[in-house]
Amino acid sequence: NAGVTQTPKFRILKIGQSMTLQCTQDMNHNYMYWYRQDPGMGLKLIYYSVGAGITDKGEVPNGYNVSRSTTEDFPLRLELAAPSQTSVYFCASIRDREFSSGNTIYFGEGSWLTVV
Amino acid sequence: LAKTTQPISMDSYEGQEVNITCSHNNIATNDYITWYQQFPSQGPRFIIQGYKTKVTNEVASLFIPADRKSSTLSLPRVSLSDTAVYYCLVGGGPFSGGYNKLIFGAGTRLAVHP
């Protein structure tokens, strides 16, 4: 049971390039999330998904796209990378929408992205 | 998800008890209160969760008054390794919208000094 796995861990992009951050969870969680965290700041929700085939915007969706074709995978796509997208990206998942004993949010280890 | 308010930062010294309070005035009847800890360069991780009164585990205690409009995370005898950001999250109840849109607040930066 690997939990939430993100790849790549580090990446340098040039302005205008595109890339996909991969996120996979093996816990059969329905809910998945992408956050970005700028230095010294809190987590900002980019996109989230409540199940396969269903995604919705979070607080800061501009410049990003997501898809959820399977329960396990929730990739984040950056189109036309900009320096403002330099950040740490975290993927997270939770089993279902309601808390019950032991139902907690699991985070990946993060992906460090620099746009130059 | 209920809006939460926490202090931006706190300072403490090794061996002291630290209490971080979170205000959540619009908490729903079925909402739970959960605290997460984030170290630099890592994703947040679960510390403790409660619904009412007091909950204690091996790392922390959570105090929730009867009106549930606030909660206090208590860290006994902190060490340098407790330096981190602490987030209070409220929600997850069956009639509160659950965790559809999971938004974290700014958190509390705790600095523990020697």
Side-chain angles (χ1 to χ4, degrees):
Chain A
N1 191 332
V4 179
T5 303
Q6 292 181 230
T7 57
K9 194 166 181 65
F10 300 97
R11 181 72 185 268
I12 298 175
L13 274 182
K14 293 184 178 180
I15 295 171
Q17 286 186 322
S18 300
M19 74 159 297
T20 300
L21 298 177
Q22 302 291 343
C23 177
T24 298
Q25 52 88 12
D26 60 357
M27 299 172 283
N28 201 31
H29 285 178
N30 288 336
Y31 289 69
M32 297 187 73
Y33 310 85
W34 272 107
Y35 294 89
R36 61 175 287 172
Q37 187 171 37
D38 299 334
M41 305 297 287
L43 297 160
K44 290 292 186 183
L45 180 64
I46 306 172
Y47 270 95
Y48 66 100
S49 169
V50 301
I54 306 170
T55 63
D56 207 346
K57 297 177 180 179
E59 302 171 276
V60 290
N62 292 343
Y64 307 94
N65 278 299
V66 293
S67 60
R68 186 91 182 274
S69 57
T70 67
T71 299
E72 296 77 21
D73 301 307
F74 190 41
L76 177 71
R77 178 84 176 161
L78 281 73
E79 304 282 1
L80 300 174
S84 61
Q85 293 177 303
T86 294
S87 191
V88 182
Y89 292 83
F90 290 101
C91 181
S93 71
I94 190 169
R95 185 176 66 202
D96 60 45
R97 62 186 289 153
E98 297 166 11
F99 262 150
S100 57
S101 177
N103 190 26
T104 185
I105 305 162
Y106 291 82
F107 282 84
E109 295 186 346
S111 296
W112 274 254
L113 177 65
T114 301
V115 182
V116 296
Chain B
L1 227 59
K3 179 177 169 58
T4 60
T5 303
Q6 305 173 230
I8 295 296
S9 63
M10 296 181 68
D11 288 276
S12 183
Y13 293 90
E14 285 189 291
Q16 289 188 334
E17 179 184 74
V18 171
N19 295 309
I20 306 174
T21 297
C22 179
S23 297
H24 29 80
N25 291 321
N26 59 338
I27 187 170
T29 301
N30 297 305
D31 281 345
Y32 282 77
I33 300 159
T34 313
W35 286 80
Y36 288 82
Q37 175 190 55
Q38 186 182 25
F39 295 116
S41 303
Q42 296 183 23
R45 66 174 189 175
F46 173 88
I47 303 176
I48 196 166
Q49 178 188 109
Y51 182 78
K52 61 181 179 180
T53 63
K54 177 183 174 182
V55 179
T56 298
N57 62 21
E58 63 276 7
V59 297
S61 294
L62 179 59
F63 298 92
I64 305 169
D67 66 6
R68 303 200 328 122
K69 293 184 182 299
S70 66
S71 59
T72 299
L73 173 72
S74 181
L75 304 172
R77 298 179 298 282
V78 294
S79 64
L80 297 177
S81 62
D82 292 315
T83 293
V85 179
Y86 293 83
Y87 297 95
C88 164
L89 203 64
V90 175
F95 303 107
S96 69
Y99 285 96
N100 279 0
K101 198 169 183 176
L102 200 60
I103 294 177
F104 283 77
T108 298
R109 292 186 172 277
L110 173 65
V112 180
H113 306 281

